[in-house]
Amino acid sequence: MLARRLLELRPRFRIAHGRKEAELRILVIEDDPDTRDMYGRMLRDEGHEAVLAADGVEGLQLMEPPPDLVILDLSLPGMDGYDILRAIKADPTTAEIPVLVVSVNRFDRPDDVGGFVAALRKPFDLPLLPAMLALVGR
């Protein structure tokens, strides 16, 4: 389902940065520094622009310019992932941004959250994430 939705959105996913073109601008909201750094390295290795946030407030501040995809942990200090998801989907300027929830906790989609939201449960097979993103960028 995620791969199909990302393929549908493929025309939106090419962004230019000077002479170098990044496939996707991906915002990662993850409080664990090692996991956040791992996402950053993996996404950059795949040719994407990785924008990293340590908590939900920082993540919401980094929504401009709007990312092409948000990778969101549920267990965050302060505002939890559900609060962040609701804030993203409630704002008309960010409501259409796909969100991939990646968490050790089970994700129960709130009834008041519209738009595209998918979930992966940690731990997941690490090559799965770049493989899904490769379907979009190639």
Side-chain angles (χ1 to χ4, degrees), residues 65-128:
D68 298 299
L69 175 69
V70 175
I71 298 174
L72 175 64
D73 186 20
L74 289 180
S75 300
L76 296 168
M79 295 177 75
D80 72 8
Y82 287 102
D83 294 334
I84 302 307
L85 180 59
R86 283 185 179 96
I88 291 169
K89 294 303 183 180
D91 184 338
T93 64
T94 59
E96 295 302 314
I97 297 171
V99 176
L100 175 60
V101 173
V102 182
S103 181
V104 296
N105 300 317
R106 183 172 181 268
F107 174 66
D108 293 314
R109 183 188 178 116
D111 292 335
D112 61 338
V113 171
F116 180 76
V117 180
L120 285 175
R121 193 134 183 215
K122 292 179 188 176
F124 61 91
D125 187 12
L126 202 52
L128 182 60

